[in-house]
Amino acid sequence: MADNARAKKLADLIREVVAEKLQRGIKDPRLGSHVTITDTRVTGDLREATVFYTVYGDDEDRASAAAGLQSAKGVLRSAVGAAAGTKFTPTLTFVADALPENAKTIEDLLDQARASDARVREVSSGAAYAGDADPYRKPEEDTEGDGGATDGDRSGGSASA
């Protein structure tokens, strides 16, 4: 079992090699400049690597990019093996990253919250307080009812010198 630092280092290397190879080494038109490698994870035994990617475009572009990555898997694994110099080159599994969809969902929820806040702001703009504008007692109000006594008068001790 390899340590986590070694697995992380190999995952980073795989991400860089696959991205570089997609950019410059593979001439498949399905894997143009609209495929981005977002993350790579390697199992603890360094035998399997999962490569996460995103595709800029619609569903048809995503499907064609997935097919292109599947067909280029052997070439990419060979490039990883040459760069890594390990005894066993990990098998590559490509998974479409859900990050763009999650980001869109979050943006939609934030837009709904902004619209709700705007509605609340409109409704509350003409509203008045249910009671006084300032419901808290002030220090001046506290001294009016005790006849003007001060703390020195209430202490009970003599004030003679």
Side-chain angles (χ1 to χ4, degrees), residues 54-71:
T54 59
V55 179
Y56 182 73
D58 57 1
D59 290 334
E60 182 180 321
D61 291 335
R62 289 184 191 102
S64 66
L69 286 170
Q70 199 63 22
S71 69

Side-chain angles (χ1 to χ4, degrees), residues 39-115:
D39 193 18
T40 306
R41 295 188 185 142
V42 178
T43 58
D45 61 357
L46 306 179
R47 295 276 180 167
E48 297 175 13
T50 305
V51 179
F52 295 93
Y53 67 94
T54 59
V55 179
Y56 182 73
D58 57 1
D59 290 334
E60 182 180 321
D61 291 335
R62 289 184 191 102
S64 66
L69 286 170
Q70 199 63 22
S71 69
K73 188 184 287 190
V75 174
L76 294 172
R77 185 172 180 216
S78 297
V80 167
T86 57
K87 183 176 182 181
F88 181 80
T89 302
T91 58
L92 301 178
T93 305
F94 292 96
V95 176
D97 199 353
L99 184 70
E101 290 82 17
N102 290 345
K104 178 147 178 40
T105 302
I106 290 171
E107 282 297 322
D108 291 342
L109 290 172
L110 288 173
D111 288 341
Q112 289 175 2
R114 285 185 199 106

Side-chain angles (χ1 to χ4, degrees), residues 108-124:
D108 291 342
L109 290 172
L110 288 173
D111 288 341
Q112 289 175 2
R114 285 185 199 106
S116 175
D117 287 348
R119 283 192 304 270
V120 168
R121 203 173 301 115
E122 287 174 18
V123 169
S124 67

Side-chain angles (χ1 to χ4, degrees), residues 7-60:
K8 173 83 169 111
K9 194 174 183 181
L10 183 61
D12 291 342
L13 177 72
I14 291 170
R15 186 182 72 241
E16 291 173 14
V17 168
V18 169
E20 181 69 26
K21 194 71 172 170
L22 287 175
Q23 184 82 22
R24 296 203 173 101
I26 296 180
K27 302 298 182 201
D28 193 341
R30 299 175 291 186
L31 300 175
S33 62
H34 57 276
V35 176
T36 303
I37 304 300
T38 56
D39 193 18
T40 306
R41 295 188 185 142
V42 178
T43 58
D45 61 357
L46 306 179
R47 295 276 180 167
E48 297 175 13
T50 305
V51 179
F52 295 93
Y53 67 94
T54 59
V55 179
Y56 182 73
D58 57 1
D59 290 334
E60 182 180 321

